[in-house]
Amino acid sequence: MSKYCLKGNNVTDEKLFHQRRAIIKSSIAFSLLTFSNLVFPNIKSLSFSKDLKYSTNEQTNTLKQITSYNNFYELGSGKRDPMINADKLNTNNWQVTIDGEVENKFTLDTDDFTKKFPLEERIYRLRCVEAWSMVVPWIGFELNHLIKLAKPTYKAKYISFESVYDPENLPGQKRDTLAWPYREGLRLDEARNPLTILSVGLYGRVLPNQNGSPIRLIVPWKYGFKSIKSIKRISFVENMPDTSWNLEAPKEYGFYSNVNPYVSHPRWSQKRERRIGEFRKRETLMYNGYADNVAHLYEGMDLKKYF
Ligand SMILES: Nc1nc2c(c(=O)[nH]1)N[C@H]1C(S)=C(S)[C@@H](COP(=O)(O)O)O[C@H]1N2
Ligand SMILES: [Mo]
């Protein structure tokens, strides 16, 4: 038995234990099975360069932490639901539509993500509005590359993003827990900032379903909910778009949602956060530590009003 053998893991969740037992039983070469093979059913690895300019050198969270403690309401509202229901997300023949106020409307399929854009590994902190955080080695490309292909017209001031809508298969969409499909938005200059990426993988492989396969946004200076998963449509628009969390609770979730330890959520403080895997809390940093890159975007704005 190698140290990677599943039997060696101290799994506490019983359902998970039985799922794994089933997988072990059905596997011929079970002694070679690793956690990574479980999480990445599509073992396709990606080729990418390592970014040093924007990546943090903090310790990354483990693959297990990154794929078993998630928010993905389409797959359920519990932190383990996205992992348990991961196979309910069908990513076959995926297409993303790019439309709205642009000179070039187009669609991208999954192969285009890796063929049309230079992939980089970006190690970013992700700070959830619920006051926990993780460090993830994302693989992706700058959203600005896609924006340049689309050529926004002078009318385009914002970008609106829409996730998958598939209530037949996605358990969370059978109820109206949120305004489906999940929607998010950015101001065009925020979208063009080099920190903003579209991610197609993590830890060197294509994205696990629970992390928003096949393509999701990452905006590291904003609360995690802005980083919309499993994107189907990217529209360039003139007016500030609706976002699912703002529609749900406008007093709690504003359009900007920049990480800000000085503006509390109405129900809790944002001063500190728990890094998943750690016990002692960390101080939350302004703009999640990316102030040098993004503070200029909000100069002169009242951040209490535009939260
Ligand atoms: N479509 C969609 N995207 C989503 C969510 C969601 O429920 N649906 N949850 C958001 C929230 S609240 C967070 S914190 C991050 C979590 O990303 P992760 O699970 O990859 O860490 O995804 C965001 N993107
Ligand atoms: Mo979140």
Side-chain angles (χ1 to χ4, degrees), residues 16 19 39 65-89 132 170-172 208-213 229:
L16 186 65
Q19 277 181 350
V39 170
Q65 289 166 335
I66 294 168
T67 57
S68 60
Y69 190 88
N70 301 97
N71 274 335
F72 196 171
Y73 278 59
E74 289 85 336
L75 296 176
S77 48
K79 294 288 180 274
R80 287 178 162 268
D81 292 344
M83 170 184 62
I84 292 164
N85 296 321
D87 62 348
K88 304 256 160 51
L89 174 70
W132 50 265
L170 295 169
N209 282 2
Q210 57 265 52
N211 296 92
S213 188
K229 294 176 171 181

PDB file of all heavy atoms in Angstrom, residues 16 19 39 65-89 132 170-172 208-213 229:
ATOM      1  N   LEU A  16     -18.810   9.980   1.709  1.00  0.00           N
ATOM      2  CA  LEU A  16     -17.582  10.059   0.930  1.00  0.00           C
ATOM      3  C   LEU A  16     -16.837   8.742   1.029  1.00  0.00           C
ATOM      4  O   LEU A  16     -16.344   8.197   0.052  1.00  0.00           O
ATOM      5  CB  LEU A  16     -16.735  11.204   1.484  1.00  0.00           C
ATOM      6  CG  LEU A  16     -15.470  11.537   0.716  1.00  0.00           C
ATOM      7  CD1 LEU A  16     -15.839  12.043  -0.662  1.00  0.00           C
ATOM      8  CD2 LEU A  16     -14.704  12.599   1.469  1.00  0.00           C
ATOM      9  N   GLN A  19     -18.502   6.252  -1.132  1.00  0.00           N
ATOM     10  CA  GLN A  19     -18.233   6.546  -2.542  1.00  0.00           C
ATOM     11  C   GLN A  19     -16.845   6.054  -2.906  1.00  0.00           C
ATOM     12  O   GLN A  19     -16.637   5.435  -3.936  1.00  0.00           O
ATOM     13  CB  GLN A  19     -18.280   8.058  -2.779  1.00  0.00           C
ATOM     14  CG  GLN A  19     -19.668   8.585  -2.984  1.00  0.00           C
ATOM     15  CD  GLN A  19     -19.641  10.080  -3.235  1.00  0.00           C
ATOM     16  OE1 GLN A  19     -18.615  10.735  -3.068  1.00  0.00           O
ATOM     17  NE2 GLN A  19     -20.771  10.628  -3.636  1.00  0.00           N
ATOM     18  N   VAL A  39     -10.279  13.328  -8.247  1.00  0.00           N
ATOM     19  CA  VAL A  39     -10.755  14.683  -8.438  1.00  0.00           C
ATOM     20  C   VAL A  39     -10.719  15.070  -9.907  1.00  0.00           C
ATOM     21  O   VAL A  39     -11.546  15.826 -10.383  1.00  0.00           O
ATOM     22  CB  VAL A  39      -9.884  15.658  -7.610  1.00  0.00           C
ATOM     23  CG1 VAL A  39     -10.200  17.093  -7.970  1.00  0.00           C
ATOM     24  CG2 VAL A  39     -10.116  15.422  -6.145  1.00  0.00           C
ATOM     25  N   GLN A  65      -8.281  20.208  -0.007  1.00  0.00           N
ATOM     26  CA  GLN A  65      -9.002  21.352   0.575  1.00  0.00           C
ATOM     27  C   GLN A  65      -9.723  22.149  -0.518  1.00  0.00           C
ATOM     28  O   GLN A  65     -10.877  22.543  -0.355  1.00  0.00           O
ATOM     29  CB  GLN A  65      -8.010  22.267   1.315  1.00  0.00           C
ATOM     30  CG  GLN A  65      -7.482  21.644   2.596  1.00  0.00           C
ATOM     31  CD  GLN A  65      -6.262  22.368   3.145  1.00  0.00           C
ATOM     32  OE1 GLN A  65      -5.513  23.024   2.416  1.00  0.00           O
ATOM     33  NE2 GLN A  65      -6.043  22.246   4.445  1.00  0.00           N
ATOM     34  N   ILE A  66      -9.038  22.354  -1.631  1.00  0.00           N
ATOM     35  CA  ILE A  66      -9.584  23.192  -2.701  1.00  0.00           C
ATOM     36  C   ILE A  66     -10.796  22.549  -3.376  1.00  0.00           C
ATOM     37  O   ILE A  66     -11.647  23.240  -3.923  1.00  0.00           O
ATOM     38  CB  ILE A  66      -8.462  23.505  -3.730  1.00  0.00           C
ATOM     39  CG1 ILE A  66      -7.382  24.388  -3.080  1.00  0.00           C
ATOM     40  CG2 ILE A  66      -9.003  24.173  -4.985  1.00  0.00           C
ATOM     41  CD1 ILE A  66      -6.109  24.518  -3.905  1.00  0.00           C
ATOM     42  N   THR A  67     -10.886  21.219  -3.309  1.00  0.00           N
ATOM     43  CA  THR A  67     -11.960  20.526  -4.040  1.00  0.00           C
ATOM     44  C   THR A  67     -13.025  19.915  -3.134  1.00  0.00           C
ATOM     45  O   THR A  67     -13.938  19.259  -3.616  1.00  0.00           O
ATOM     46  CB  THR A  67     -11.372  19.400  -4.923  1.00  0.00           C
ATOM     47  OG1 THR A  67     -10.621  18.510  -4.081  1.00  0.00           O
ATOM     48  CG2 THR A  67     -10.478  19.975  -5.997  1.00  0.00           C
ATOM     49  N   SER A  68     -12.896  20.114  -1.815  1.00  0.00           N
ATOM     50  CA  SER A  68     -13.909  19.514  -0.929  1.00  0.00           C
ATOM     51  C   SER A  68     -14.578  20.531  -0.017  1.00  0.00           C
ATOM     52  O   SER A  68     -15.411  20.183   0.805  1.00  0.00           O
ATOM     53  CB  SER A  68     -13.287  18.389  -0.100  1.00  0.00           C
ATOM     54  OG  SER A  68     -12.244  18.893   0.696  1.00  0.00           O
ATOM     55  N   TYR A  69     -14.215  21.809  -0.151  1.00  0.00           N
ATOM     56  CA  TYR A  69     -14.837  22.878   0.647  1.00  0.00           C
ATOM     57  C   TYR A  69     -15.148  24.002  -0.329  1.00  0.00           C
ATOM     58  O   TYR A  69     -14.299  24.843  -0.621  1.00  0.00           O
ATOM     59  CB  TYR A  69     -13.856  23.345   1.736  1.00  0.00           C
ATOM     60  CG  TYR A  69     -14.459  24.271   2.762  1.00  0.00           C
ATOM     61  CD1 TYR A  69     -15.073  23.757   3.902  1.00  0.00           C
ATOM     62  CD2 TYR A  69     -14.410  25.653   2.600  1.00  0.00           C
ATOM     63  CE1 TYR A  69     -15.625  24.608   4.853  1.00  0.00           C
ATOM     64  CE2 TYR A  69     -14.958  26.507   3.545  1.00  0.00           C
ATOM     65  CZ  TYR A  69     -15.556  25.977   4.662  1.00  0.00           C
ATOM     66  OH  TYR A  69     -16.103  26.819   5.607  1.00  0.00           O
ATOM     67  N   ASN A  70     -16.346  23.955  -0.916  1.00  0.00           N
ATOM     68  CA  ASN A  70     -16.655  24.865  -2.028  1.00  0.00           C
ATOM     69  C   ASN A  70     -17.993  25.556  -1.863  1.00  0.00           C
ATOM     70  O   ASN A  70     -18.875  25.071  -1.162  1.00  0.00           O
ATOM     71  CB  ASN A  70     -16.715  24.082  -3.355  1.00  0.00           C
ATOM     72  CG  ASN A  70     -15.424  23.373  -3.673  1.00  0.00           C
ATOM     73  OD1 ASN A  70     -15.267  22.189  -3.409  1.00  0.00           O
ATOM     74  ND2 ASN A  70     -14.484  24.096  -4.241  1.00  0.00           N
ATOM     75  N   ASN A  71     -18.124  26.679  -2.545  1.00  0.00           N
ATOM     76  CA  ASN A  71     -19.423  27.310  -2.758  1.00  0.00           C
ATOM     77  C   ASN A  71     -19.761  27.186  -4.231  1.00  0.00           C
ATOM     78  O   ASN A  71     -19.007  27.675  -5.087  1.00  0.00           O
ATOM     79  CB  ASN A  71     -19.378  28.796  -2.374  1.00  0.00           C
ATOM     80  CG  ASN A  71     -19.646  29.013  -0.904  1.00  0.00           C
ATOM     81  OD1 ASN A  71     -20.298  28.206  -0.249  1.00  0.00           O
ATOM     82  ND2 ASN A  71     -19.148  30.116  -0.374  1.00  0.00           N
ATOM     83  N   PHE A  72     -20.872  26.528  -4.523  1.00  0.00           N
ATOM     84  CA  PHE A  72     -21.334  26.358  -5.903  1.00  0.00           C
ATOM     85  C   PHE A  72     -22.804  25.963  -5.756  1.00  0.00           C
ATOM     86  O   PHE A  72     -23.137  24.783  -5.740  1.00  0.00           O
ATOM     87  CB  PHE A  72     -20.509  25.278  -6.626  1.00  0.00           C
ATOM     88  CG  PHE A  72     -20.637  25.288  -8.132  1.00  0.00           C
ATOM     89  CD1 PHE A  72     -19.786  24.487  -8.900  1.00  0.00           C
ATOM     90  CD2 PHE A  72     -21.568  26.068  -8.793  1.00  0.00           C
ATOM     91  CE1 PHE A  72     -19.862  24.485 -10.289  1.00  0.00           C
ATOM     92  CE2 PHE A  72     -21.656  26.069 -10.180  1.00  0.00           C
ATOM     93  CZ  PHE A  72     -20.797  25.271 -10.929  1.00  0.00           C
ATOM     94  N   TYR A  73     -23.649  26.991  -5.580  1.00  0.00           N
ATOM     95  CA  TYR A  73     -25.040  26.763  -5.192  1.00  0.00           C
ATOM     96  C   TYR A  73     -25.828  25.935  -6.194  1.00  0.00           C
ATOM     97  O   TYR A  73     -26.817  25.293  -5.826  1.00  0.00           O
ATOM     98  CB  TYR A  73     -25.723  28.104  -4.907  1.00  0.00           C
ATOM     99  CG  TYR A  73     -25.420  28.619  -3.510  1.00  0.00           C
ATOM    100  CD1 TYR A  73     -24.112  28.869  -3.102  1.00  0.00           C
ATOM    101  CD2 TYR A  73     -26.445  28.824  -2.590  1.00  0.00           C
ATOM    102  CE1 TYR A  73     -23.836  29.306  -1.822  1.00  0.00           C
ATOM    103  CE2 TYR A  73     -26.177  29.269  -1.305  1.00  0.00           C
ATOM    104  CZ  TYR A  73     -24.870  29.515  -0.923  1.00  0.00           C
ATOM    105  OH  TYR A  73     -24.604  29.938   0.347  1.00  0.00           O
ATOM    106  N   GLU A  74     -25.414  25.918  -7.442  1.00  0.00           N
ATOM    107  CA  GLU A  74     -26.073  25.064  -8.432  1.00  0.00           C
ATOM    108  C   GLU A  74     -25.960  23.596  -8.030  1.00  0.00           C
ATOM    109  O   GLU A  74     -26.790  22.761  -8.415  1.00  0.00           O
ATOM    110  CB  GLU A  74     -25.431  25.245  -9.819  1.00  0.00           C
ATOM    111  CG  GLU A  74     -25.716  26.578 -10.487  1.00  0.00           C
ATOM    112  CD  GLU A  74     -24.770  27.709 -10.075  1.00  0.00           C
ATOM    113  OE1 GLU A  74     -24.184  27.637  -8.969  1.00  0.00           O
ATOM    114  OE2 GLU A  74     -24.629  28.658 -10.853  1.00  0.00           O
ATOM    115  N   LEU A  75     -24.909  23.281  -7.262  1.00  0.00           N
ATOM    116  CA  LEU A  75     -24.676  21.892  -6.844  1.00  0.00           C
ATOM    117  C   LEU A  75     -25.033  21.682  -5.377  1.00  0.00           C
ATOM    118  O   LEU A  75     -24.674  20.655  -4.790  1.00  0.00           O
ATOM    119  CB  LEU A  75     -23.214  21.501  -7.110  1.00  0.00           C
ATOM    120  CG  LEU A  75     -22.781  21.502  -8.589  1.00  0.00           C
ATOM    121  CD1 LEU A  75     -21.291  21.200  -8.708  1.00  0.00           C
ATOM    122  CD2 LEU A  75     -23.594  20.497  -9.397  1.00  0.00           C
ATOM    123  N   GLY A  76     -25.737  22.629  -4.781  1.00  0.00           N
ATOM    124  CA  GLY A  76     -26.144  22.522  -3.379  1.00  0.00           C
ATOM    125  C   GLY A  76     -25.508  23.613  -2.543  1.00  0.00           C
ATOM    126  O   GLY A  76     -24.495  24.189  -2.938  1.00  0.00           O
ATOM    127  N   SER A  77     -26.095  23.897  -1.369  1.00  0.00           N
ATOM    128  CA  SER A  77     -25.611  25.035  -0.598  1.00  0.00           C
ATOM    129  C   SER A  77     -24.657  24.645   0.533  1.00  0.00           C
ATOM    130  O   SER A  77     -24.068  25.508   1.175  1.00  0.00           O
ATOM    131  CB  SER A  77     -26.783  25.854  -0.063  1.00  0.00           C
ATOM    132  OG  SER A  77     -27.720  25.007   0.538  1.00  0.00           O
ATOM    133  N   GLY A  78     -24.475  23.339   0.787  1.00  0.00           N
ATOM    134  CA  GLY A  78     -23.484  22.910   1.786  1.00  0.00           C
ATOM    135  C   GLY A  78     -22.087  22.929   1.185  1.00  0.00           C
ATOM    136  O   GLY A  78     -21.938  22.844  -0.032  1.00  0.00           O
ATOM    137  N   LYS A  79     -21.078  23.060   2.051  1.00  0.00           N
ATOM    138  CA  LYS A  79     -19.705  23.175   1.558  1.00  0.00           C
ATOM    139  C   LYS A  79     -19.207  21.902   0.873  1.00  0.00           C
ATOM    140  O   LYS A  79     -18.294  21.949   0.050  1.00  0.00           O
ATOM    141  CB  LYS A  79     -18.753  23.533   2.708  1.00  0.00           C
ATOM    142  CG  LYS A  79     -18.999  24.918   3.282  1.00  0.00           C
ATOM    143  CD  LYS A  79     -18.536  26.010   2.334  1.00  0.00           C
ATOM    144  CE  LYS A  79     -18.769  27.399   2.903  1.00  0.00           C
ATOM    145  NZ  LYS A  79     -20.124  27.927   2.633  1.00  0.00           N
ATOM    146  N   ARG A  80     -19.765  20.757   1.221  1.00  0.00           N
ATOM    147  CA  ARG A  80     -19.342  19.511   0.595  1.00  0.00           C
ATOM    148  C   ARG A  80     -20.229  19.112  -0.583  1.00  0.00           C
ATOM    149  O   ARG A  80     -19.874  18.210  -1.349  1.00  0.00           O
ATOM    150  CB  ARG A  80     -19.329  18.372   1.622  1.00  0.00           C
ATOM    151  CG  ARG A  80     -18.188  18.506   2.584  1.00  0.00           C
ATOM    152  CD  ARG A  80     -18.189  17.420   3.640  1.00  0.00           C
ATOM    153  NE  ARG A  80     -16.870  17.364   4.245  1.00  0.00           N
ATOM    154  CZ  ARG A  80     -15.891  16.572   3.827  1.00  0.00           C
ATOM    155  NH1 ARG A  80     -16.077  15.729   2.825  1.00  0.00           N
ATOM    156  NH2 ARG A  80     -14.716  16.613   4.408  1.00  0.00           N
ATOM    157  N   ASP A  81     -21.388  19.758  -0.706  1.00  0.00           N
ATOM    158  CA  ASP A  81     -22.315  19.410  -1.798  1.00  0.00           C
ATOM    159  C   ASP A  81     -21.678  19.487  -3.185  1.00  0.00           C
ATOM    160  O   ASP A  81     -21.902  18.595  -4.012  1.00  0.00           O
ATOM    161  CB  ASP A  81     -23.560  20.306  -1.766  1.00  0.00           C
ATOM    162  CG  ASP A  81     -24.434  20.037  -0.547  1.00  0.00           C
ATOM    163  OD1 ASP A  81     -24.250  18.981   0.090  1.00  0.00           O
ATOM    164  OD2 ASP A  81     -25.300  20.883  -0.233  1.00  0.00           O
ATOM    165  N   PRO A  82     -20.915  20.541  -3.487  1.00  0.00           N
ATOM    166  CA  PRO A  82     -20.336  20.615  -4.832  1.00  0.00           C
ATOM    167  C   PRO A  82     -19.463  19.400  -5.169  1.00  0.00           C
ATOM    168  O   PRO A  82     -19.492  18.903  -6.292  1.00  0.00           O
ATOM    169  CB  PRO A  82     -19.527  21.916  -4.803  1.00  0.00           C
ATOM    170  CG  PRO A  82     -20.242  22.760  -3.796  1.00  0.00           C
ATOM    171  CD  PRO A  82     -20.667  21.784  -2.729  1.00  0.00           C
ATOM    172  N   MET A  83     -18.718  18.898  -4.194  1.00  0.00           N
ATOM    173  CA  MET A  83     -17.901  17.700  -4.436  1.00  0.00           C
ATOM    174  C   MET A  83     -18.804  16.470  -4.612  1.00  0.00           C
ATOM    175  O   MET A  83     -18.633  15.695  -5.554  1.00  0.00           O
ATOM    176  CB  MET A  83     -16.949  17.484  -3.254  1.00  0.00           C
ATOM    177  CG  MET A  83     -16.232  16.148  -3.296  1.00  0.00           C
ATOM    178  SD  MET A  83     -15.220  15.874  -1.834  1.00  0.00           S
ATOM    179  CE  MET A  83     -16.473  15.873  -0.553  1.00  0.00           C
ATOM    180  N   ILE A  84     -19.782  16.335  -3.724  1.00  0.00           N
ATOM    181  CA  ILE A  84     -20.659  15.160  -3.779  1.00  0.00           C
ATOM    182  C   ILE A  84     -21.471  15.133  -5.073  1.00  0.00           C
ATOM    183  O   ILE A  84     -21.672  14.081  -5.673  1.00  0.00           O
ATOM    184  CB  ILE A  84     -21.579  15.138  -2.527  1.00  0.00           C
ATOM    185  CG1 ILE A  84     -20.739  14.875  -1.276  1.00  0.00           C
ATOM    186  CG2 ILE A  84     -22.685  14.102  -2.666  1.00  0.00           C
ATOM    187  CD1 ILE A  84     -21.442  15.214   0.029  1.00  0.00           C
ATOM    188  N   ASN A  85     -21.925  16.310  -5.524  1.00  0.00           N
ATOM    189  CA  ASN A  85     -22.774  16.383  -6.725  1.00  0.00           C
ATOM    190  C   ASN A  85     -22.003  16.774  -7.986  1.00  0.00           C
ATOM    191  O   ASN A  85     -22.615  17.113  -9.003  1.00  0.00           O
ATOM    192  CB  ASN A  85     -23.898  17.408  -6.514  1.00  0.00           C
ATOM    193  CG  ASN A  85     -24.840  16.995  -5.396  1.00  0.00           C
ATOM    194  OD1 ASN A  85     -25.158  15.821  -5.252  1.00  0.00           O
ATOM    195  ND2 ASN A  85     -25.273  17.956  -4.588  1.00  0.00           N
ATOM    196  N   ALA A  86     -20.687  16.720  -7.925  1.00  0.00           N
ATOM    197  CA  ALA A  86     -19.865  17.228  -9.036  1.00  0.00           C
ATOM    198  C   ALA A  86     -20.272  16.638 -10.389  1.00  0.00           C
ATOM    199  O   ALA A  86     -20.268  17.341 -11.405  1.00  0.00           O
ATOM    200  CB  ALA A  86     -18.388  16.954  -8.767  1.00  0.00           C
ATOM    201  N   ASP A  87     -20.661  15.368 -10.401  1.00  0.00           N
ATOM    202  CA  ASP A  87     -20.972  14.726 -11.691  1.00  0.00           C
ATOM    203  C   ASP A  87     -22.321  15.164 -12.261  1.00  0.00           C
ATOM    204  O   ASP A  87     -22.680  14.782 -13.371  1.00  0.00           O
ATOM    205  CB  ASP A  87     -20.890  13.198 -11.575  1.00  0.00           C
ATOM    206  CG  ASP A  87     -21.904  12.643 -10.595  1.00  0.00           C
ATOM    207  OD1 ASP A  87     -22.512  13.436  -9.838  1.00  0.00           O
ATOM    208  OD2 ASP A  87     -22.108  11.402 -10.583  1.00  0.00           O
ATOM    209  N   LYS A  88     -23.068  15.982 -11.551  1.00  0.00           N
ATOM    210  CA  LYS A  88     -24.347  16.487 -12.073  1.00  0.00           C
ATOM    211  C   LYS A  88     -24.139  17.650 -13.049  1.00  0.00           C
ATOM    212  O   LYS A  88     -25.067  18.077 -13.734  1.00  0.00           O
ATOM    213  CB  LYS A  88     -25.245  16.958 -10.917  1.00  0.00           C
ATOM    214  CG  LYS A  88     -25.495  15.892  -9.878  1.00  0.00           C
ATOM    215  CD  LYS A  88     -26.886  15.332 -10.033  1.00  0.00           C
ATOM    216  CE  LYS A  88     -27.122  13.970  -9.394  1.00  0.00           C
ATOM    217  NZ  LYS A  88     -26.715  13.840  -8.016  1.00  0.00           N
ATOM    218  N   LEU A  89     -22.946  18.183 -13.062  1.00  0.00           N
ATOM    219  CA  LEU A  89     -22.638  19.265 -14.004  1.00  0.00           C
ATOM    220  C   LEU A  89     -22.124  18.641 -15.296  1.00  0.00           C
ATOM    221  O   LEU A  89     -21.107  17.946 -15.290  1.00  0.00           O
ATOM    222  CB  LEU A  89     -21.563  20.188 -13.405  1.00  0.00           C
ATOM    223  CG  LEU A  89     -21.022  21.292 -14.322  1.00  0.00           C
ATOM    224  CD1 LEU A  89     -22.070  22.371 -14.569  1.00  0.00           C
ATOM    225  CD2 LEU A  89     -19.759  21.920 -13.728  1.00  0.00           C
ATOM    226  N   TRP A 132     -13.496  33.238   5.186  1.00  0.00           N
ATOM    227  CA  TRP A 132     -12.421  32.242   5.094  1.00  0.00           C
ATOM    228  C   TRP A 132     -11.665  32.500   3.801  1.00  0.00           C
ATOM    229  O   TRP A 132     -12.149  33.230   2.922  1.00  0.00           O
ATOM    230  CB  TRP A 132     -12.956  30.799   5.144  1.00  0.00           C
ATOM    231  CG  TRP A 132     -14.083  30.471   4.213  1.00  0.00           C
ATOM    232  CD1 TRP A 132     -15.431  30.494   4.510  1.00  0.00           C
ATOM    233  CD2 TRP A 132     -14.001  30.067   2.832  1.00  0.00           C
ATOM    234  NE1 TRP A 132     -16.164  30.136   3.408  1.00  0.00           N
ATOM    235  CE2 TRP A 132     -15.319  29.865   2.367  1.00  0.00           C
ATOM    236  CE3 TRP A 132     -12.946  29.853   1.949  1.00  0.00           C
ATOM    237  CZ2 TRP A 132     -15.606  29.488   1.061  1.00  0.00           C
ATOM    238  CZ3 TRP A 132     -13.230  29.464   0.647  1.00  0.00           C
ATOM    239  CH2 TRP A 132     -14.552  29.286   0.221  1.00  0.00           C
ATOM    240  N   LEU A 170     -29.039  20.089 -12.440  1.00  0.00           N
ATOM    241  CA  LEU A 170     -28.339  20.745 -11.332  1.00  0.00           C
ATOM    242  C   LEU A 170     -29.277  20.832 -10.126  1.00  0.00           C
ATOM    243  O   LEU A 170     -30.285  21.549 -10.170  1.00  0.00           O
ATOM    244  CB  LEU A 170     -27.877  22.143 -11.756  1.00  0.00           C
ATOM    245  CG  LEU A 170     -26.833  22.162 -12.877  1.00  0.00           C
ATOM    246  CD1 LEU A 170     -26.621  23.570 -13.418  1.00  0.00           C
ATOM    247  CD2 LEU A 170     -25.514  21.552 -12.404  1.00  0.00           C
ATOM    248  N   PRO A 171     -28.971  20.103  -9.049  1.00  0.00           N
ATOM    249  CA  PRO A 171     -29.920  20.015  -7.928  1.00  0.00           C
ATOM    250  C   PRO A 171     -30.277  21.374  -7.334  1.00  0.00           C
ATOM    251  O   PRO A 171     -31.433  21.607  -6.972  1.00  0.00           O
ATOM    252  CB  PRO A 171     -29.204  19.126  -6.916  1.00  0.00           C
ATOM    253  CG  PRO A 171     -27.777  19.058  -7.334  1.00  0.00           C
ATOM    254  CD  PRO A 171     -27.755  19.322  -8.807  1.00  0.00           C
ATOM    255  N   GLY A 172     -29.328  22.293  -7.262  1.00  0.00           N
ATOM    256  CA  GLY A 172     -29.582  23.601  -6.665  1.00  0.00           C
ATOM    257  C   GLY A 172     -30.555  24.444  -7.474  1.00  0.00           C
ATOM    258  O   GLY A 172     -31.214  25.335  -6.934  1.00  0.00           O
ATOM    259  N   PRO A 208     -11.607  20.849 -11.847  1.00  0.00           N
ATOM    260  CA  PRO A 208     -12.623  19.923 -11.336  1.00  0.00           C
ATOM    261  C   PRO A 208     -14.002  20.601 -11.421  1.00  0.00           C
ATOM    262  O   PRO A 208     -14.094  21.821 -11.299  1.00  0.00           O
ATOM    263  CB  PRO A 208     -12.213  19.721  -9.882  1.00  0.00           C
ATOM    264  CG  PRO A 208     -10.778  20.142  -9.797  1.00  0.00           C
ATOM    265  CD  PRO A 208     -10.614  21.210 -10.830  1.00  0.00           C
ATOM    266  N   ASN A 209     -15.045  19.800 -11.639  1.00  0.00           N
ATOM    267  CA  ASN A 209     -16.391  20.386 -11.786  1.00  0.00           C
ATOM    268  C   ASN A 209     -16.761  21.295 -10.622  1.00  0.00           C
ATOM    269  O   ASN A 209     -17.334  22.365 -10.823  1.00  0.00           O
ATOM    270  CB  ASN A 209     -17.437  19.271 -11.908  1.00  0.00           C
ATOM    271  CG  ASN A 209     -17.449  18.666 -13.298  1.00  0.00           C
ATOM    272  OD1 ASN A 209     -16.659  19.049 -14.164  1.00  0.00           O
ATOM    273  ND2 ASN A 209     -18.350  17.721 -13.514  1.00  0.00           N
ATOM    274  N   GLN A 210     -16.427  20.886  -9.402  1.00  0.00           N
ATOM    275  CA  GLN A 210     -16.844  21.678  -8.236  1.00  0.00           C
ATOM    276  C   GLN A 210     -16.170  23.049  -8.175  1.00  0.00           C
ATOM    277  O   GLN A 210     -16.612  23.932  -7.457  1.00  0.00           O
ATOM    278  CB  GLN A 210     -16.612  20.900  -6.925  1.00  0.00           C
ATOM    279  CG  GLN A 210     -15.200  20.438  -6.664  1.00  0.00           C
ATOM    280  CD  GLN A 210     -14.967  19.006  -7.122  1.00  0.00           C
ATOM    281  OE1 GLN A 210     -15.254  18.669  -8.256  1.00  0.00           O
ATOM    282  NE2 GLN A 210     -14.447  18.180  -6.235  1.00  0.00           N
ATOM    283  N   ASN A 211     -15.101  23.229  -8.941  1.00  0.00           N
ATOM    284  CA  ASN A 211     -14.441  24.541  -8.982  1.00  0.00           C
ATOM    285  C   ASN A 211     -14.853  25.384 -10.186  1.00  0.00           C
ATOM    286  O   ASN A 211     -14.266  26.433 -10.438  1.00  0.00           O
ATOM    287  CB  ASN A 211     -12.927  24.375  -8.936  1.00  0.00           C
ATOM    288  CG  ASN A 211     -12.448  23.764  -7.638  1.00  0.00           C
ATOM    289  OD1 ASN A 211     -12.308  22.543  -7.551  1.00  0.00           O
ATOM    290  ND2 ASN A 211     -12.257  24.568  -6.616  1.00  0.00           N
ATOM    291  N   GLY A 212     -15.871  24.903 -10.941  1.00  0.00           N
ATOM    292  CA  GLY A 212     -16.417  25.758 -12.003  1.00  0.00           C
ATOM    293  C   GLY A 212     -15.989  25.394 -13.404  1.00  0.00           C
ATOM    294  O   GLY A 212     -15.889  26.270 -14.270  1.00  0.00           O
ATOM    295  N   SER A 213     -15.758  24.106 -13.634  1.00  0.00           N
ATOM    296  CA  SER A 213     -15.383  23.631 -14.955  1.00  0.00           C
ATOM    297  C   SER A 213     -16.449  24.025 -15.983  1.00  0.00           C
ATOM    298  O   SER A 213     -17.621  24.108 -15.637  1.00  0.00           O
ATOM    299  CB  SER A 213     -15.251  22.100 -14.900  1.00  0.00           C
ATOM    300  OG  SER A 213     -14.725  21.614 -16.098  1.00  0.00           O
ATOM    301  N   LYS A 229     -18.561  30.818 -11.678  1.00  0.00           N
ATOM    302  CA  LYS A 229     -18.142  29.502 -12.199  1.00  0.00           C
ATOM    303  C   LYS A 229     -18.926  29.086 -13.436  1.00  0.00           C
ATOM    304  O   LYS A 229     -20.037  29.554 -13.668  1.00  0.00           O
ATOM    305  CB  LYS A 229     -18.367  28.445 -11.112  1.00  0.00           C
ATOM    306  CG  LYS A 229     -17.479  28.630  -9.903  1.00  0.00           C
ATOM    307  CD  LYS A 229     -17.799  27.620  -8.825  1.00  0.00           C
ATOM    308  CE  LYS A 229     -16.745  27.691  -7.724  1.00  0.00           C
ATOM    309  NZ  LYS A 229     -17.019  26.704  -6.667  1.00  0.00           N
TER     310      LYS A 229
END
